[in-house]
Amino acid sequence: KMNIKTIRHYFVVAAILLSCGEKQNMLYEPFTFNTNMLDSLANLNQVIVDTSFRKDGSIREKKYYLGDTVKYAIAYNQGGTLIFRTKFEGPFEVWTEAYHQNGQRMSKFEVKTDSVSGRSYKEGLYKSFYDNGMVQEVGEYRIGHPFWVVNFTRDGVQGDTIFYQIENQIIK
């Protein structure tokens, strides 16, 4: 049975631990992708996996299908390290992530596809990362062109915000 003194004691200890805790750096976003969840869906026959191989037997690419539509495409280098991962909605790419040799995310950007021309282009916010998980750049693409970007050092020091002009006009 807990009394008021015991509850106060736990409260004080919790407050001390929280106040002494190191603040999490908002520019540190380590991320490595694990295909276990997608592969387990394939084992349950929820998705179909189409795997392509190189002549040496190493995996070049895996495509995960739901019905007759690709949902994810994952490419690997010859050493088996993830190069990129792409998500699709219907026939259209919606985002892509690229990866460093150590498995850390290198960049992530959204992609739009013009339904008339079928042309795909970067659109929306993007981030790029150093191989240690620290944010390298944050920016925005509009109609395939960079609109603004902020660079960071490996230590998290923020640079200036750079705005771009395309064809002598600021993108609206």
Side-chain angles (χ1 to χ4, degrees):
K1 196 171 180 183
M2 294 179 68
N3 60 29
I4 297 293
K5 192 173 186 178
T6 305
I7 293 172
R8 265 193 228 142
H9 174 70
Y10 283 126
F11 182 79
V12 170
V13 169
I16 290 170
L17 289 175
L18 289 173
S19 66
C20 291
E22 191 175 306
K23 289 185 180 178
Q24 174 126 5
N25 185 340
M26 298 307 288
L27 296 175
Y28 181 64
E29 296 185 26
F31 177 84
T32 53
F33 180 68
N34 189 335
T35 62
N36 288 344
M37 185 167 54
L38 288 173
D39 290 334
S40 68
L41 289 173
N43 291 336
L44 295 170
N45 294 321
Q46 299 296 313
V47 297
I48 298 169
V49 181
D50 179 19
T51 305
S52 63
F53 297 90
R54 292 184 181 80
K55 289 180 182 179
D56 67 1
S58 64
I59 296 174
R60 176 187 310 274
E61 183 178 49
K62 284 185 175 183
K63 290 183 178 177
Y64 294 84
Y65 290 84
L66 185 59
D68 60 354
T69 305
V70 175
K71 290 297 179 186
Y72 288 97
I74 300 171
Y76 300 89
N77 68 14
Q78 206 160 5
T81 303
L82 181 66
I83 299 171
F84 73 83
R85 164 173 85 118
T86 302
K87 180 168 178 15
F88 294 88
E89 286 183 9
F92 303 117
E93 178 182 349
V94 292
W95 57 256
T96 294
E97 288 182 337
Y99 290 83
H100 290 285
Q101 285 286 358
N102 67 357
Q104 286 290 321
R105 181 172 39 199
M106 182 186 313
S107 64
K108 181 174 183 175
F109 54 87
E110 295 177 14
V111 176
K112 297 282 185 195
T113 302
D114 182 302
S115 59
V116 176
S117 70
R119 182 179 157 259
S120 295
Y121 52 88
K122 294 178 183 177
E123 178 74 15
L125 297 177
Y126 81 95
K127 284 184 179 181
S128 65
F129 303 87
Y130 291 105
D131 60 1
N132 64 358
M134 290 292 291
V135 172
Q136 182 176 7
E137 277 184 354
V138 175
E140 180 181 1
Y141 273 85
R142 293 193 182 171
I143 313 172
H145 300 283
F147 180 60
W148 63 266
V149 65
V150 178
N151 293 298
F152 297 88
T153 66
R154 287 182 76 83
D155 299 330
V157 177
Q158 180 178 334
D160 294 331
T161 301
I162 301 167
F163 286 90
Y164 293 89
Q165 281 188 295
I166 307 299
E167 297 175 8
N168 298 324
Q169 294 180 342
I170 294 181
I171 300 172
K172 297 178 181 181

